[in-house]
Amino acid sequence: MLFLGIDFGTSGARVIVINDDEEIITQVSLSFSCQNTHYLAQQWEDTLYLLLEKIPIKIRKKIEFISINGTSSTVLLCNAEGIPIEKPILYNDSQDITIFDKFKSIIPKEHIVNSSTSSLIKLLWWYENNKISPNSYLLHQADWLGFLLHGELGISDYHNALKLGYDVENLCYPDWLKALPINAVLPDVLPPGTPVRTVKDDIVKKFNFPKHCLVCTGTTDSIAAFLASGVKNPGEGVTSLGSTLVLKLLSNKRIEDISSGIYSHRLGNLWLTGGASNTGGAVLKHFFTDEEIEKISKKINTNQPTKLDYYPLLKPGERFPINDPKLVSKIEPKPDNKVEFLQGLLESIAKIEALGYNKLQALGANPITQIYSAGGGAKNKKWVKIRQNYLQVPVHISPQTEAAYGTALLAKRSQITYNYP
């Protein structure tokens, strides 16, 4: 029996197939050729199908469960056929927070949705601009990609639905959310990894999947990266060093602090608390190619820190550990020496990471014992050393660093909730 995990990030997508022993059987990745949001949905669909085509047929024929992750708070508004009727709104696209003023008597002031990038504010923005009809469906990126395979609209998971306002503690939509005028387009929410339906007949025919192959609810890319790490003990954390910087700390206590962009996901009987910053690898790639980062990093002397004090962002606005939609990027002074400049950027991102974990602990999360690193930046040994200097705990590379692997594990666990013949 084989299990397929599909990861859609900000710059590309990857699939990983594992077996019953959780060994990787095959993996394929593709980069997005275009970032024009008017064509993103079509590109996601094309990329999904191209990735599936690249999995050898003999492997596809043995895949029994499929799960998909997507970027948190990336949403689409679709019609009754599942066709997007508006361009997708991405995870880091800010909306005018004053939209909430109209509903301030309904929406709790300190709730996680009170953010310029939350899924709920994006949905309310569509509502305020008369984009929603009685036959509309709100879908997160992972929901829509799953729909393309199983054909069921209006289904999500409680990891993706957290920033929509779903109550992950009581596993229901709260009364205040149901009182909003967008209640009719809210998706049904299931636990991540819940089997939804077998793949559609046309997908079976096109890709040679077994007819009984099940598509399951998914998760977010950062939680998938956490699942891939294998972390199980409170006090252990995972930092995802992708296009953005995402922190997740396993804790006995649920932590919520909207002023710092901190929130918690349910993970069994524990809580996965953390936040996502807009700094990260995308900023590095704005100034350096991947080859330059690899080459220049080797010249960094981690025992001699720079005195550069940056807060590197591609555009104004930050989510965590400072929640300020107007926060301005600070990348000055910029030295002529490329080694010094790259080191200053890496140090500054490490400081932001340390600030994030310190805030989690100050609010009652378990003390950090060790950090596992995922994402493309996890392989940079000099950056690992820099981060360890600021974090003051052991920093490891996760045994598995790909979010697609974590999503494949989620697909594998789906068979526990399904009475497989």
Side-chain angles (χ1 to χ4, degrees):
M1 189 181 300
L2 300 180
F3 310 89
L4 171 60
I6 304 173
D7 164 43
F8 268 71
T10 55
S11 58
R14 178 184 296 270
V15 297
I16 287 180
V17 179
I18 63 173
N19 60 17
D20 281 307
D21 295 324
E22 300 181 357
E23 300 167 327
I24 295 177
I25 302 302
T26 190
Q27 57 183 310
V28 182
S29 62
L30 291 171
S31 297
F32 297 142
S33 58
C34 171
Q35 291 296 325
N36 187 324
T37 55
H38 288 282
Y39 305 102
L40 267 185
Q42 186 61 55
Q43 182 170 226
W44 293 340
E45 182 175 358
D46 294 343
T47 300
L48 173 64
Y49 294 154
L50 186 56
L51 283 169
L52 297 180
E53 285 178 0
K54 289 183 175 294
I55 300 172
I57 293 180
K58 64 180 182 180
I59 293 178
R60 276 184 256 152
K61 289 182 176 180
K62 298 179 181 179
I63 293 173
E64 309 282 8
F65 291 86
I66 301 172
S67 190
I68 304 174
N69 78 67
T71 51
S72 176
S73 292
T74 293
V75 292
L76 303 92
L77 191 65
C78 301
N79 62 18
E81 285 73 46
I83 300 171
I85 54 180
E86 289 292 315
K87 66 179 182 179
I89 303 181
L90 300 181
Y91 69 99
N92 60 346
D93 285 342
S94 298
Q95 305 300 319
D96 186 356
I97 197 73
T98 59
I99 290 174
F100 282 136
D101 290 346
K102 183 176 179 179
F103 308 100
K104 61 184 178 182
S105 63
I106 301 175
I107 301 173
K109 184 178 180 181
E110 298 302 320
H111 199 280
I112 186 177
V113 298
N114 281 277
S115 165
S116 62
T117 58
S118 74
S119 300
L120 182 59
I121 197 171
K122 293 165 184 173
L123 179 55
L124 288 173
W125 185 87
W126 275 321
Y127 171 78
E128 289 293 289
N129 286 273
N130 300 312
K131 303 297 184 181
I132 298 176
S133 69
N135 295 319
S136 297
Y137 288 86
L138 174 79
L139 297 175
H140 301 90
Q141 183 185 34
D143 307 335
W144 186 69
L145 292 167
F147 155 76
L148 294 177
L149 300 183
H150 59 59
E152 290 287 333
L153 282 168
I155 296 176
S156 188
D157 64 89
Y158 61 60
H159 287 160
N160 273 293
L162 177 69
K163 294 179 183 178
L164 187 58
Y166 187 78
D167 184 346
V168 294
E169 191 155 11
N170 296 302
L171 299 179
C172 64
Y173 282 117
D175 290 340
W176 65 260
L177 185 56
K178 291 188 287 187
L180 292 173
I182 45 76
N183 176 48
V185 302
L186 295 176
D188 293 331
V189 179
L190 302 173
T194 301
V196 176
R197 187 178 173 180
T198 55
V199 291
K200 297 187 297 180
D201 290 342
D202 61 321
I203 297 297
V204 169
K205 183 176 181 180
K206 184 174 183 178
F207 298 107
N208 296 103
F209 287 123
K211 289 185 177 180
H212 57 268
C213 176
L214 282 161
V215 184
C216 310
T217 50
T219 183
T220 65
D221 53 350
S222 61
I223 291 186
F226 185 93
L227 295 175
S229 73
V231 166
K232 297 178 181 178
N233 300 312
E236 296 178 335
V238 173
T239 297
S240 182
L241 299 165
S243 298
T244 58
L245 174 72
V246 182
L247 311 185
K248 291 284 187 291
L249 178 63
L250 199 57
S251 174
N252 293 108
K253 181 180 178 181
R254 182 183 183 184
I255 306 296
E256 304 285 338
D257 181 24
I258 189 65
S259 65
S260 302
I262 294 171
Y263 55 93
S264 294
H265 282 281
R266 174 186 283 274
L267 202 66
N269 294 322
L270 298 173
W271 293 96
L272 198 51
T273 184
S277 168
N278 287 336
T279 194
V283 179
L284 300 178
K285 291 183 179 181
H286 181 73
F287 295 102
F288 301 95
T289 64
D290 288 339
E291 293 75 17
E292 287 175 326
I293 293 173
E294 182 178 0
K295 183 178 179 181
I296 296 173
S297 292
K298 294 177 181 178
K299 300 178 182 180
I300 292 174
N301 184 351
T302 58
N303 294 319
Q304 293 183 348
T306 71
K307 296 182 180 180
L308 299 171
D309 184 22
Y310 298 151
Y311 203 110
L313 301 168
L314 287 181
K315 60 182 181 180
E318 176 62 307
R319 300 175 288 168
F320 167 83
I322 301 169
N323 189 6
D324 182 355
K326 297 181 180 179
L327 186 68
V328 177
S329 177
K330 181 184 177 184
I331 314 180
E332 294 292 342
K334 180 180 176 182
D336 294 330
N337 186 309
K338 289 186 176 181
V339 177
E340 183 181 4
F341 181 47
L342 177 60
Q343 183 174 349
L345 290 173
L346 295 178
E347 288 172 349
S348 298
I349 296 172
K351 291 176 188 176
I352 295 169
E353 179 185 4
L355 177 61
Y357 280 118
N358 287 339
K359 285 204 170 187
L360 295 177
Q361 293 171 100
L363 290 169
N366 290 64
I368 302 174
T369 58
Q370 55 187 337
I371 301 295
Y372 289 85
S373 306
K379 301 173 185 177
N380 189 319
K381 294 181 180 180
K382 290 296 180 72
W383 201 4
V384 169
K385 179 60 178 175
I386 289 170
R387 293 169 53 227
Q388 192 162 274
N389 289 340
Y390 285 103
L391 292 165
Q392 294 294 298
V393 295
V395 176
H396 315 280
I397 296 177
S398 297
Q400 295 291 342
T401 62
E402 296 294 344
Y405 182 82
T407 312
L409 290 177
L410 186 62
K412 179 176 181 289
R413 294 167 190 169
S414 298
Q415 64 180 318
I416 300 174
T417 63
Y418 179 75
N419 187 18
Y420 193 79

